[in-house]
C-alpha cells in the first residue's frame, strides 16, 4: 500500500490539481500553493522550485516513486494548485516525520 503522502499526490493529479514536470509547474506556478520536489531531483529542478517563491517540500521519495503515484514513469517536480490538497499533503508529511 502506498504511503498517505503519495496517495494524496495521486488524488490531486487525478482531480487536475497537480501539475507534473518542469514546464507544467512553470505554467502552474502562479496558482500553486505548494511545490513538491523528489528527493533525487536534479539541481535544475531545485533552482526552478526556489525561483517560484512558493512553499517547497522536498519529499522523502525519489522521482520514480513520485512518478508512479501520479501516473507517470518519473516526476521530479510537481505543483499543487488546490488549498485542500496542499493541507492534506502537508499533514501527511507531518505524520511521516
Amino acid at each position: 500500500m502506498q504511503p498517505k503522502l503519495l496517495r494524496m499526490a495521486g488524488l490531486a493529479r487525478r482531480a487536475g490539481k497537480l501539475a507534473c514536470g518542469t514546464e507544467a509547474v512553470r505554467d502552474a506556478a502562479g496558482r500553486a500553493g505548494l511545490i513538491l520536489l523528489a528527493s533525487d531531483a536534479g539541481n535544475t529542478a531545485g533552482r526552478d522550485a526556489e525561483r517560484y517563491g512558493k512553499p517547497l517540500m522536498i519529499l522523502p521519495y525519489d522521482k520514480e516513486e513520485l512518478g508512479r503515484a501520479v501516473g507517470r514513469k518519473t516526476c521530479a517536480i510537481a505543483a499543487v494548485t488546490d488549498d485542500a490538497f496542499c493541507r492534506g499533503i502537508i499533514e501527511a508529511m507531518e505524520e511521516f516525520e
Side-chain angles (χ1 to χ4, degrees), residues 16-61:
K17 304 299 182 182
L18 185 89
C20 297
T22 306
E23 291 180 27
V25 170
R26 184 180 314 124
D27 293 343
R31 306 184 314 274
L34 180 65
I35 305 291
L36 306 176
L37 197 61
S39 62
D40 61 344
N43 292 334
T44 303
R47 281 193 305 270
D48 286 347
E50 291 174 353
R51 196 174 314 149
Y52 300 130
K54 301 292 181 170
L56 174 65
M57 179 182 289
I58 299 173
L59 302 176
Y61 305 106

Side-chain angles (χ1 to χ4, degrees), residues 40-94:
D40 61 344
N43 292 334
T44 303
R47 281 193 305 270
D48 286 347
E50 291 174 353
R51 196 174 314 149
Y52 300 130
K54 301 292 181 170
L56 174 65
M57 179 182 289
I58 299 173
L59 302 176
Y61 305 106
D62 64 23
K63 294 184 284 192
E64 289 182 4
E65 291 170 308
L66 180 57
R68 275 194 304 273
V70 298
R72 296 176 55 143
K73 185 174 179 180
T74 64
C75 179
I77 187 169
V80 184
T81 61
D82 180 80
D83 290 339
F85 280 115
C86 289
R87 285 190 302 275
I89 289 170
I90 291 168
E91 288 172 11
M93 183 67 159
E94 289 170 354

